[in-house]
Amino acid sequence: MIAFGALVWYVLGLDFAPQDGERILQDPLADEALALLSIAVGIPVVLLAVRWCGSRPAGTVASVLGRVRLRWLVRCSAVAFPLIVLQMGGLALWGYLSEGEESLAGDFPGWSGFVLGLVVLWALIPFQAAAEEFVFRGWITQFFGGFLASPWPGIVIGSALFALAHGFGRLSGFALLFYSALWWGWLTVRTGGLEAAIAIHVANNVTAYGLTVAFGELAESGSAADAPWQALVLELVAAPVYCLLIARLATAHGVQRLSPADTAQPAESAQPAESADRAGRPAEA
């Protein structure tokens, strides 16, 4: 995807970024959009790997029902977005109280640039965030769960890889990513699908990119790996609050956490005993 985007950029005769930086394209918005697209291709890659190599329906990586449960995704999003806005608002207030107005300094790109940035990035973020969840909370967890009784080895390994995938920044940033991913991994198993993790991931990225565009800092390189220790402190509370709220919501709405095959096993295993009892033989047989 990156090679294709660079080729199109070259054919159009547009400028590339200097080689001493981390960006490829000179235009920050186009470069960020290309980065998001290069991650979003993880969705078809995972689905094809599950279908061809795993010999099972591709949708089983998304949930126990073999598909993304859209209604449940909307319910999770209704919880995730207000919580993320509150969390980032708290972080901004903390920065303002400790550093003053410098923490909120930025260069607004103008309404045309602001709206264009939001439209492009917000259209791509759901696919980018979902792709990361398909890989780290979906396929990796299921891979280890295929031969291990506990889901936690897959959750821990997937969480560590998730944190490392964001690059090496501050120790507080790595700890934040790893800690959040552990909670999201538990929530994925608890709710039987990726919808809750996708919702909080999309809400976080949509809000973060919105602030980045508003402050004109899209050209600045950085990721959650560079998060300060204040963000880690807030995440220590926000992550369990969201996950426990969603877990209670899943119980209230009867969200299925086991596949239909798993829930049918007890009834199927009881059939031989029942038929044996009707035949006059001991039920234990």
Side-chain angles (χ1 to χ4, degrees), residues 29-48:
L29 179 58
D31 186 79
E32 201 66 36
L34 181 60
L36 294 176
L37 281 171
S38 67
I39 298 174
V41 296
I43 295 178
V45 168
V46 169
L47 294 179
L48 289 174

Side-chain angles (χ1 to χ4, degrees), residues 207-244:
T207 307
Y209 270 104
L211 293 174
T212 300
V213 173
F215 286 106
E217 298 178 347
L218 199 58
E220 302 294 331
S221 60
S223 68
D226 302 310
W229 65 268
Q230 294 91 335
L232 173 60
V233 171
L234 292 176
E235 185 66 10
L236 291 176
V237 178
V241 166
Y242 171 75
C243 292
L244 295 177

